[in-house]
């Protein structure tokens, strides 16, 4: 059934769960390579210095896909767009598993990132299918699946690589994409957008949305700062655990699972936002994100436990703030949700990339204390900005 111009329906819990699963498995593609680059790089002829390009190009590809592909969801039938991008993802992952040269591997990583943005077509589609009264709850449940995909991708990748080699990670991911494509084909309703314009006019309209929607600019900036703090923590903490606490790669993989507890934030916050607590929860999320780093700055016993708690709380706060921001942004122009989402998510991943880039220099220069202070400072800036704009 075509849901293009129909009023929002009461989306079923089963469909919400299906979309959450799809989002988690698709977004994991961006993070599978991170823990295995030291195994992967020598096999495809990349030097240790160049190995990080594997991760960087995947993220750059994702940002490009957000900007150039996601707006198409306001123009092209959504299910068809998702199936096409998933086909590209599948072929790119198979190619990455077979790659023998650095240039081919890097190009395929770029394509994996760019095509994995189908997840950002699914999320606005879910918003279209849900009623205003339940939109926060629906988005919260779906974002919980998304965060679980982000957090579980690294330990799953390490586990598969340890037992079957790094190439098996990409074959596993390709199999997941084939499964997701079949699920989307049979379970996701079609939606033909009402827009009648050209692709280039659609891209040009992104600039107009940024200019015309101050709330979009503000929410995008605040979440970019929060996600930068999140990325700074999760990029730095494996080094800290290895160097300062002597944890093995397997133990670090288990540590990463702890952060998955933060995924419970999304459905809880979504329900509370539907009841009118968006402002209060936005403030609370930013305060938690800043405060959770403070205990780890000091020399405390059971330091690994303190870091684990920090991981849980930063994940909780960032996830909560993202859901709240999405709920607000999607309400600005319902007919432009895909483009609003493209702008919002692009800014978030730019923030995340900057946080990751800062991790090594900060840790080498001042140890964990420097990392924690900067990671705490970003949510503080977000909090101050939010307080200033919310008073207007």
């Amino acid at each position: 059934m075509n849901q293009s111009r129909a009023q929002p329906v009461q989306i079923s819990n089963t469909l919400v769960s299906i979309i959450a699963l799809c989002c988690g498995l698709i977004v994991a593609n961006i993070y599978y390579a991170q823990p295995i680059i030291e195994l992967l790089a020598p096999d495809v002829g990349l030097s240790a210095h160049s190995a990080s390009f594997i991760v960087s190009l995947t993220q750059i590809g994702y940002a490009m896909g957000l900007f150039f592909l996601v707006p198409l969801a306001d123009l092209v039938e959504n299910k068809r767009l998702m199936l096409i991008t998933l086909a590209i993802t599948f072929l790119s992952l198979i190619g990455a598993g077979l790659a023998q040269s650095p240039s081919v591997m890097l190009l395929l990583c770029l394509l994996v990132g760019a095509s994995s943005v189908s997840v950002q077509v699914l999320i606005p589609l879910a918003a279209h299918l849900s009623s205003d009264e339940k939109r926060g709850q629906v988005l919260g449940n779906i974002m919980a699946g998304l965060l679980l995909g982000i957090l579980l991708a690294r330990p799953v990748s390490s586990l598969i690589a340890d037992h079957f080699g790094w190439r098996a990670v990409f074959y596993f991911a390709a199999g997941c994409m084939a499964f997701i494509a079949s699920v989307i084909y049979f379970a996701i309703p079609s939606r033909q957008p009402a827009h009648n314009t050209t692709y280039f006019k659609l891209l040009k309209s992104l600039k107009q949305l940024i200019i015309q929607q101050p709330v979009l600019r503000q929410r995008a900036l605040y979440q970019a700062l929060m996600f930068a703090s999140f990325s700074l923590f999760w990029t730095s903490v494996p080094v800290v655990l290895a160097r300062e606490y002597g944890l093995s790669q397997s133990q670090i993989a288990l540590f990463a699972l702890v952060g998955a507890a933060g995924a419970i934030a999304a459905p809880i916050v979504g329900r509370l936002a539907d009841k009118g607590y968006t402002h209060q929860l936005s403030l609370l999320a930013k305060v938690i994100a800043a405060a959770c780093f403070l205990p780890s700055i000091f020399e405390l016993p059971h330091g690994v436990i303190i870091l684990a708690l920090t991981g849980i709380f930063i994940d909780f706060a960032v996830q909560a703030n993202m859901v709240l921001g999405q709920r607000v942004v999607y309400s600005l122009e319902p007919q432009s949700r895909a483009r609003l989402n493209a702008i919002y998510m692009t800014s978030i991943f730019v923030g995340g990339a900057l946080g990751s880039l800062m991790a090594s220099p900060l840790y080498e220069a001042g140890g964990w204390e420097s990392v924690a202070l900067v990671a705490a400072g970003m949510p503080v800036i977000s909090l101050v900005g939010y307080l200033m704009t919310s008073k207007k």
Side-chain angles (χ1 to χ4, degrees):
M1 177 181 176
N2 193 301
Q3 300 286 351
S4 58
R5 297 173 177 84
Q7 293 297 315
V9 299
Q10 184 60 47
I11 188 170
S12 69
N13 291 333
T14 301
L15 184 55
V16 171
S17 299
I18 289 171
I19 294 175
L21 173 65
C22 292
C23 288
L25 288 174
I26 296 169
V27 80
N29 292 327
I30 307 168
Y31 300 95
Y32 283 132
Q34 285 186 346
I36 60 172
I37 54 173
E38 292 188 4
L39 299 173
L40 190 164
D43 270 10
V44 297
L46 280 168
S47 65
H49 178 74
S50 303
S52 61
F53 281 117
I54 294 169
V55 177
S56 299
L57 281 175
T58 307
Q59 293 176 330
I60 290 169
Y62 194 75
M64 292 172 60
L66 283 168
F67 190 83
F68 291 107
L69 294 179
V70 171
L72 281 171
D74 282 336
L75 189 64
V76 178
E77 198 280 306
N78 285 189
K79 182 190 286 190
R80 185 186 312 153
L81 178 61
M82 286 184 284
L83 291 174
I84 291 171
T85 54
L86 283 169
I88 296 171
T89 310
F90 173 82
L91 294 173
S92 300
L93 288 165
I94 292 292
L98 297 170
Q100 300 291 336
S101 71
S103 57
V104 170
M105 187 69 194
L106 292 173
L107 174 62
L108 290 169
C109 286
L110 188 73
L111 287 174
V112 167
S115 57
S116 292
V117 294
S118 50
V119 69
Q120 299 301 337
V121 179
L122 265 174
I123 297 171
L125 176 59
H128 278 289
L129 296 175
S130 59
S131 63
D132 292 339
E133 295 76 17
K134 294 289 186 180
R135 187 164 294 127
Q137 178 181 336
V138 168
L139 290 174
N141 290 334
I142 292 171
M143 293 308 295
L146 186 79
L147 182 61
L148 281 173
I150 293 173
L151 295 174
L152 295 178
R154 298 178 184 93
V156 167
S157 176
S158 296
L159 185 64
I160 293 173
D162 281 343
H163 288 83
F164 305 103
W166 67 265
R167 295 181 187 275
V169 175
F170 291 97
Y171 299 144
F172 167 78
C176 289
M177 294 308 98
F179 168 73
I180 291 301
S182 64
V183 170
I184 287 176
Y185 182 82
F186 289 108
I188 303 298
S190 299
R191 175 183 174 269
Q192 177 63 50
H195 281 284
N196 184 18
T197 184
T198 66
Y199 174 66
F200 292 104
K201 287 181 179 178
L202 204 63
L203 288 182
K204 189 176 180 180
S205 69
L206 294 174
K207 179 180 178 181
Q208 296 171 343
L209 284 172
I210 295 172
I211 294 172
Q212 296 169 0
Q213 300 291 351
V215 173
L216 171 63
R217 298 195 302 270
Q218 293 158 11
R219 284 285 179 173
L221 174 60
Y222 304 151
Q223 185 59 21
L225 288 165
M226 296 281 280
F227 202 67
S229 178
F230 171 93
S231 296
L232 177 55
F233 173 82
W234 283 108
T235 305
S236 303
V237 80
V239 180
V240 176
L241 293 171
R243 293 190 189 179
E244 300 184 20
Y245 296 97
L247 268 63
S248 67
Q249 283 299 119
S250 297
Q251 290 170 326
I252 292 171
L254 289 174
F255 179 94
L257 294 174
V258 172
I264 64 171
I268 295 172
V269 168
R271 288 181 177 87
L272 291 173
D274 287 336
K275 295 180 180 179
Y277 295 103
T278 298
H279 175 66
Q280 298 92 323
L281 291 169
S282 296
L283 290 173
L284 180 62
K286 295 169 178 60
V287 171
I288 290 174
C292 69
F293 287 97
L294 299 182
S296 66
I297 295 174
F298 305 101
E299 287 287 340
L300 295 173
H302 312 297
V304 174
I305 296 175
I306 297 298
L307 287 174
L309 290 172
T310 302
I312 292 172
F313 282 112
I314 188 63
D315 290 359
F316 188 99
V318 170
Q319 184 69 2
N321 201 67
M322 182 179 288
V323 171
L324 295 166
Q326 281 180 312
R327 193 182 190 283
V328 172
V329 166
Y330 288 168
S331 68
L332 297 175
E333 287 188 20
Q335 73 277 13
S336 304
R337 281 185 181 131
R339 283 169 291 156
L340 291 168
N341 190 55
I343 296 166
Y344 184 66
M345 296 305 298
T346 300
S347 65
I348 290 171
F349 275 86
V350 168
L354 291 175
S356 296
L357 285 172
M358 295 169 64
S360 294
L362 277 173
Y363 183 73
E364 296 300 331
W368 171 253
E369 290 78 10
S370 295
V371 171
L373 286 171
V374 173
M378 293 172 179
V380 169
I381 297 171
S382 181
L383 174 63
V384 172
Y386 181 74
L387 286 170
M388 291 176 65
T389 54
S390 62
K391 289 179 179 178
K392 294 181 181 181

